Amino acid sequence: VEGEVQEVVKEVVVVETVEVEVEVPAEAEEMEQPVTLHYNLSTEPPTADPSLTTDTTSVLVTGNTFVALTRIDQITNEVLPYLATEWEVGEDADGNQTWTFYLRDDIPWVNYNPLTGETTQEVDDDGNPRFVNANDVVYGVKRTLDPATGSTYAYVLYIIKNAAAVNGGEEGVTLDDVGIVALDDWTVQFTLENPAGYFPSIASMWVAYPMPQWLIESENGDKWTEAGLIVTNGPYVMDTWIHGGEMVLVKNPLWVDADNVQIERVEYVMITEASTEFAMYENNELDTAGVPLPEMDRVKADPVLSEEFYQAPVACTYYYGFTNNKAPFDDVRVRTAFSEAIDRQSLIDNVLKGGQLVASSFAPPGIFGAPEPGTVGIFYDPEDAQAQLQAYLDENGMTLEDFNAMDIVLMHNTSEGHASIAAAIQQMWADNLGVQVRVENQEWAVYLTTVDKTTPLEDAPHVWRMGWCADYADQNNWVHEVFNAQAGANRLRRNCTDATCTDQTATEFDELTVAAQASQDPAERAALYEQAEIILAKDEAAYAPIYHYTTVQVTKPWLTRQYPT
């Protein structure tokens, strides 16, 4: 999942189950104050629609308000039952792999009224209570894959039979041909293009959530995710969404496991500045926060804050993407030069100070098929960087002044942390290459559109930052789903044959990730992914991996957090 963060929060504040222990004075007990979590989203969630969700901020919302077929344990990575109580793998008559999920029948669809504070169960046209069923799952999956929905994360479901063809608008293939069917009200079956042992992990993702067809297709369907109108089925319901200001979720009293939902109210703010967030934390206005880069040394030395400080690796990678079909980054030598000119260890030691791990390839440790850190890819080499750039200049009859006249833009989403990183790398490129780069920033939701492969090329930045965090612990979720030119997001615009990258050709890298997806031999899959990593980061130099994340947080002693492995 693509992440927005102040470098201090990681791009992932993936919603974990948290417990709050609050000591309430005796005189206040009668007021029955709800147990409340105060949390900064860092930005406006681009959406609360599962089909349109692509980023960690939106996942915080959809993951708390909707139920998935399965869920992934944040500590062990084990795939656990959720809406589905059990599942089994099989084959259809044509030998295609199938996954059959058996659903529980007691999760209600609910609506919350912010005016009355009441949560009520939805009913159908005949007055019967609505419970989440297999048909809701089928609708949700097909809605995500429907080209009319405009889901930019639909490629995650391309492992389902005919999903890619339908989403890509292939003639003669319709939504009826997608490999998903409700065998009965409480049983849903998927048919896959290739065998995929990791499919139960994909079943945990928001693009496969059950969705309320009757509301989405109603006259208010264009506003269905707004507070007061939205219909959900998860442990929380939406009380308030003041766009650009705050969002409030409250506990769903009709949730099947409501007795074990200890936090009764979640108050999200949308503070972009890491320094402001941290000041609110110190003023007890937030229960947890990232540590701003300038505050790192003070926090580690402070006797109180150091006890509240937590730092550990997380499965996320920070990288700079090159727009591969925009000059001068349509030349591999320029991309190589810019990647080799980044002193990643210096950035970590002097700017980030959070124990991050230098990245020379994409997937971090802990992901199946990830190379050993530091074994493949491009490394800091200013001399070769200068030689690569000079070769490009000589071949094109250009001087360095001519190159700088191209007005190269490095873009990041608005964040003090990202700005500090950009300034440091901007200086490295100036010192090591003599290149002058202009830095711009945009608000997160706008930024996601700007760096999409369909944005007109003239409006796309030359270089841009992004982070990727694991949806599940397999390389298919990394090099294939993020970078494959024909079956992934491909924000890099690799092998695009037109300006908006609607037509893309395949290279050896793309063929390798498809072969690895289909292989059932773990050793072969790992070897194929390693080859793909080498091609992507070194041979194509399609992007510049920078570092693998750590979470760098402070948390109040009354809040217990769980951190993913």
Side-chain angles (χ1 to χ4, degrees):
V1 59
E2 287 167 336
E4 189 297 322
V5 303
Q6 320 285 353
E7 161 44 28
V8 305
V9 189
K10 92 172 178 84
E11 310 241 344
V12 71
V13 200
V14 174
V15 147
E16 311 97 8
T17 302
V18 289
E19 295 184 357
V20 178
E21 299 176 1
V22 183
E23 293 185 8
V24 181
E27 62 270 17
E29 289 182 353
E30 294 181 2
M31 298 176 63
E32 297 184 353
Q33 295 294 324
V35 178
T36 302
L37 173 67
H38 300 275
Y39 195 96
N40 183 27
L41 289 176
S42 300
T43 186
E44 168 85 9
T47 184
D49 184 332
S51 284
L52 302 182
T53 291
T54 68
D55 66 297
T56 53
T57 308
S58 300
V59 167
L60 284 170
V61 179
T62 58
N64 276 318
T65 52
F66 288 88
V67 63
L69 283 168
T70 64
R71 66 183 182 89
I72 298 177
D73 186 281
Q74 291 294 305
I75 303 302
T76 66
N77 286 330
E78 181 184 2
V79 181
L80 301 175
Y82 205 14
L83 173 60
T85 58
E86 58 181 332
W87 47 89
E88 62 187 17
V89 63
E91 285 188 358
D92 67 7
D94 298 321
N96 298 305
Q97 187 178 75
T98 61
W99 285 90
T100 304
F101 294 82
Y102 301 94
L103 314 186
R104 58 190 305 157
D105 60 4
D106 57 353
I107 294 184
W109 285 103
V110 299
N111 170 258
Y112 178 80
N113 186 330
L115 298 178
T116 65
E118 294 181 331
T119 301
T120 57
Q121 184 170 0
E122 289 284 289
V123 296
D124 62 21
D125 292 339
D126 296 324
N128 300 311
R130 293 187 186 270
F131 290 92
V132 181
N133 62 39
N135 296 296
D136 299 324
V137 178
V138 172
Y139 173 74
V141 168
K142 289 186 176 182
R143 176 173 179 264
T144 296
L145 292 171
D146 188 343
T149 302
S151 171
T152 58
Y153 218 66
Y155 58 83
V156 173
L157 299 176
Y158 283 5
I159 190 66
I160 301 172
K161 191 169 183 61
N162 291 320
V166 167
N167 190 244
E170 184 175 315
E171 188 175 351
V173 185
T174 71
L175 286 170
D176 291 337
D177 299 314
V178 173
I180 181 173
V181 62
L183 299 181
D184 56 47
D185 282 349
W186 313 111
T187 311
V188 62
Q189 185 176 83
F190 295 84
T191 303
L192 306 189
E193 291 280 1
N194 302 305
Y198 50 82
F199 187 74
S201 295
I202 291 180
S204 74
M205 295 176 62
W206 44 95
V207 285
Y209 284 176
M211 299 181 206
Q213 181 176 6
W214 66 95
L215 175 58
I216 294 172
E217 296 182 356
S218 71
E219 60 181 3
N220 292 318
D222 59 334
K223 300 178 181 178
W224 80 274
T225 57
E226 295 297 322
L229 186 61
I230 189 170
V231 170
T232 55
N233 51 41
Y236 288 90
V237 292
M238 187 185 296
D239 176 286
T240 306
W241 188 357
I242 300 173
H243 293 279
E246 67 174 1
M247 176 183 286
V248 177
L249 304 181
V250 296
K251 176 179 173 178
N252 173 10
L254 303 182
W255 174 242
V256 290
D257 197 28
D259 290 345
N260 291 318
V261 178
Q262 189 258 349
I263 295 176
E264 298 170 296
R265 183 178 178 88
V266 182
E267 295 187 359
Y268 290 131
V269 293
M270 305 171 190
I271 306 298
T272 302
E273 298 79 14
S275 56
T276 303
E277 177 191 47
F278 190 69
M280 293 175 67
Y281 176 84
E282 291 199 281
N283 198 40
N284 286 331
E285 297 174 78
L286 292 174
D287 297 312
T288 185
V291 181
L293 306 182
E295 299 283 2
M296 196 72 68
D297 293 336
R298 177 172 75 87
V299 168
K300 292 178 179 179
D302 185 278
V304 175
L305 292 173
S306 62
E307 288 296 313
E308 299 173 357
F309 179 77
Y310 180 84
Q311 174 182 309
V314 291
C316 301
T317 299
Y318 193 105
Y319 69 97
Y320 273 5
F322 301 129
T323 302
N324 282 205
N325 63 341
K326 183 167 186 170
F329 292 89
D330 55 352
D331 192 292
V332 67
R333 292 167 297 186
V334 174
R335 301 195 296 268
T336 299
F338 272 65
S339 186
E340 287 183 328
I342 300 174
D343 187 346
R344 295 155 174 84
Q345 192 62 58
S346 175
L347 181 74
I348 291 168
D349 293 341
N350 300 309
V351 179
L352 300 171
K353 302 181 181 180
Q356 292 83 359
L357 182 67
V358 167
S360 60
S361 53
F362 194 47
I367 301 301
F368 172 82
E372 286 295 318
T375 60
V376 304
I378 283 180
F379 305 93
Y380 179 53
D381 190 343
E383 290 186 5
D384 190 64
Q386 293 169 17
Q388 294 279 350
L389 181 60
Q390 193 60 51
Y392 171 82
L393 296 175
D394 292 345
E395 182 177 303
N396 289 278
M398 296 173 63
T399 65
L400 191 57
E401 290 73 19
D402 296 330
F403 188 88
N404 285 329
M406 300 179 78
D407 190 28
I408 293 172
V409 172
L410 164 62
M411 185 175 287
H412 62 84
N413 53 293
T414 303
S415 152
E416 293 171 338
H418 298 327
S420 296
I421 294 168
I425 293 178
Q426 179 189 39
Q427 189 61 52
M428 292 176 189
W429 286 337
D431 293 343
N432 294 327
L433 297 174
V435 168
Q436 303 301 315
V437 171
R438 180 162 55 89
V439 178
E440 295 182 355
N441 72 89
Q442 292 181 341
E443 184 273 326
W444 180 233
V446 176
Y447 180 78
L448 285 175
T449 299
T450 299
V451 299
D452 189 78
K453 66 183 179 183
T454 60
T455 295
L457 194 59
E458 63 270 18
D459 297 329
H462 300 84
V463 189
W464 37 271
R465 63 76 41 194
M466 189 57 73
W468 185 260
C469 296
D471 296 320
Y472 52 94
D474 191 280
Q475 265 278 39
N476 185 72
N477 184 231
W478 289 76
V479 289
H480 179 77
E481 292 181 350
V482 181
F483 293 133
N484 188 287
Q486 295 183 307
N490 194 23
R491 291 188 185 274
L492 301 175
R493 304 185 188 221
R494 299 176 52 259
N495 315 321
C496 295
T497 58
D498 61 357
T500 56
C501 206
T502 55
D503 186 28
Q504 301 153 90
T505 60
T507 65
E508 182 183 0
F509 165 85
D510 304 294
E511 293 168 353
L512 283 169
T513 69
V514 170
Q517 181 188 64
S519 173
Q520 298 304 293
D521 181 340
E524 179 185 39
R525 293 188 74 226
L528 291 169
Y529 282 131
E530 181 167 324
Q531 293 178 55
E533 289 268 21
I534 293 170
I535 291 172
L536 186 71
K538 183 175 176 60
D539 299 346
E540 291 187 10
Y543 75 118
I546 298 177
Y547 62 85
H548 302 306
Y549 278 78
T550 53
T551 183
V552 183
Q553 298 281 129
V554 283
T555 301
K556 297 297 183 181
W558 54 78
L559 173 63
T560 301
R561 295 197 60 177
Q562 295 178 348
Y563 292 93
T565 52

